[in-house]
Amino acid sequence: MRRPESQEPSARSRQVEAEASGDEGGGDTEMKQQKTAPAPAPSKKTKQPKECFLIQPKETKEESTKTRKWRKKKITDILAKSEPKPGTPEDLQKLMKDYYSSNRSVIELEELNLPDSCFLKANDLTHSLSSYLKEICPKWVKLRKNHTEKKSVLMLILCSSAVRALELIRSMTAFKGDSKVMKLFAKHIKVQEQVKLLEKRAVHLGVGTPGRIKELVKQGGLNLNPLKFLVFDWNWRDQKLKRMMDIPEIRKEVFELLEMGVLSLCKSESLKLGLF
């Protein structure tokens, strides 16, 4: 007996149901695979560093200038920015008081004051050495002709080094004329040799360092009493922009030399001081 067509599913309907059920099952498995699939490993290019580093911000120009302001200024920095000013007698007086203020009483400091009459006209930075010496000593020719005393000079020029002394000697050619000039510094010249030269003949001009001149006075090779002019190479600056009185060692030797009879000669007005 045949089954009615409504009760027997057709082959076509069974195939459609099988495909439908297969599609639904396949879809679930694909979604599960997408959910459970491991994430792809990052490539070497996109790999992040394991540690964290803090990068310091770069210092700006304003911040760097602020830090420089707190540094101790050197004398070369100050002199490089300042305009050159000619030395004055007040500058020498002030340096003397500052130098002796720690170990001298008020009365002793007052005794260091020199009268204005003992100072010659200072260089206003327009002179060469020859023109300056001609201005402060117009009667030099007559003065040197009358000088015959040995172990002495009529004029001393103090400078900071032997090299500078040689430069000054070369630059005074127009002034010195036939004057006898002697180098009074320590480089390549022994004290005993200089003492012998001073004993042999009369010398009119001496150019050198305060340390060697002080040593000659100590050993009796140089008598300061006939001295008429003492000129400081005051305004000249070396490669570090320092003047001779800016160097502590030179400044100390200068003041020690002044105490070896120079100050008393200045007060008696037999000796004049000049600042070149």
Side-chain angles (χ1 to χ4, degrees), residues 110-115 118 262-269:
E110 289 179 355
E111 292 177 353
L112 294 174
N113 291 331
L114 296 173
C118 77
V262 173
L263 295 177
S264 58
L265 291 173
C266 291
K267 291 179 180 180
S268 66
E269 298 188 357

Side-chain angles (χ1 to χ4, degrees), residues 2-270:
R2 290 183 63 181
R3 192 174 179 182
E5 293 181 4
S6 60
Q7 291 182 3
E8 290 182 2
S10 64
R12 177 63 179 168
S13 62
R14 286 198 303 271
Q15 185 179 0
V16 170
E17 288 177 0
E19 290 176 359
S21 62
D23 290 341
E24 290 177 1
D28 292 339
T29 54
E30 288 180 1
M31 291 179 66
K32 288 178 182 179
Q33 288 177 357
Q34 289 178 359
K35 290 180 181 179
T36 58
S43 61
K44 292 183 179 180
K45 294 183 180 179
T46 59
K47 188 175 182 180
Q48 299 297 326
K50 295 181 179 180
E51 297 181 4
C52 180
F53 297 94
L54 296 178
I55 301 174
Q56 297 292 337
K58 293 184 178 180
E59 186 180 15
T60 60
K61 290 184 179 179
E62 294 181 359
E63 292 175 351
S64 61
T65 52
K66 287 180 181 178
T67 55
R68 290 195 191 100
K69 289 180 181 178
W70 291 103
R71 295 176 184 173
K72 186 177 180 181
K73 291 184 178 179
K74 297 181 180 180
I75 187 170
T76 52
D77 299 331
I78 298 172
L79 293 175
K81 295 179 181 179
S82 62
E83 295 182 0
K85 294 181 180 179
T88 61
E90 290 77 15
D91 294 336
L92 177 59
Q93 296 274 32
K94 185 179 182 302
L95 282 177
M96 290 178 61
K97 287 186 177 181
D98 293 343
Y99 181 80
Y100 291 110
S101 60
S102 60
N103 55 10
R104 298 286 178 96
S105 64
V106 178
I107 298 175
E108 289 174 333
L109 289 175
E110 289 179 355
E111 292 177 353
L112 294 174
N113 291 331
L114 296 173
D116 295 337
S117 58
C118 77
F119 286 97
L120 298 162
K121 184 178 179 180
N123 180 20
D124 58 358
L125 303 182
T126 62
H127 283 284
S128 65
L129 181 58
S130 288
S131 64
Y132 177 71
L133 296 179
K134 287 180 180 180
E135 183 174 358
I136 64 174
C137 186
K139 298 181 180 180
W140 173 252
V141 176
K142 182 180 179 180
L143 191 64
R144 69 174 174 80
K145 284 182 179 179
N146 295 329
H147 177 70
T148 57
E149 189 173 350
K150 297 178 181 179
K151 298 173 64 175
S152 65
V153 294
L154 288 174
M155 181 182 292
L156 272 178
I157 300 177
L158 299 182
C159 58
S160 58
S161 66
V163 175
R164 178 58 179 167
L166 295 174
E167 291 177 359
L168 292 173
I169 292 173
R170 287 192 293 266
S171 64
M172 66 167 65
T173 305
F175 170 79
K176 67 182 182 180
D178 296 331
S179 303
K180 301 297 181 183
V181 182
M182 189 167 177
K183 306 168 187 175
L184 301 177
F185 47 76
K187 192 172 185 179
H188 307 307
I189 306 174
K190 296 181 179 180
V191 179
Q192 294 76 12
E193 294 177 1
Q194 292 172 334
V195 171
K196 290 179 182 179
L197 290 173
L198 289 167
E199 289 175 348
K200 284 182 179 180
R201 60 182 184 180
V203 179
H204 306 106
L205 273 164
V207 184
T209 57
R212 175 47 61 93
I213 295 171
K214 184 183 68 173
E215 189 63 29
L216 289 169
V217 175
K218 276 185 180 181
Q219 296 194 16
L222 181 63
N223 180 18
L224 294 177
N225 289 328
L227 186 64
K228 299 300 179 184
F229 302 95
L230 178 62
V231 179
F232 296 87
D233 185 28
W234 190 275
N235 298 299
W236 180 80
R237 299 181 187 275
D238 60 13
Q239 292 180 351
K240 296 181 179 179
L241 300 179
K242 290 184 179 182
R243 300 171 299 181
M244 63 176 291
M245 298 301 282
D246 294 326
I247 304 172
E249 296 82 3
I250 302 295
R251 183 168 61 245
K252 178 177 179 292
E253 292 175 343
V254 167
F255 291 137
E256 289 177 354
L257 177 62
L258 294 181
E259 286 193 290
M260 298 175 71
V262 173
L263 295 177
S264 58
L265 291 173
C266 291
K267 291 179 180 180
S268 66
E269 298 188 357
S270 64

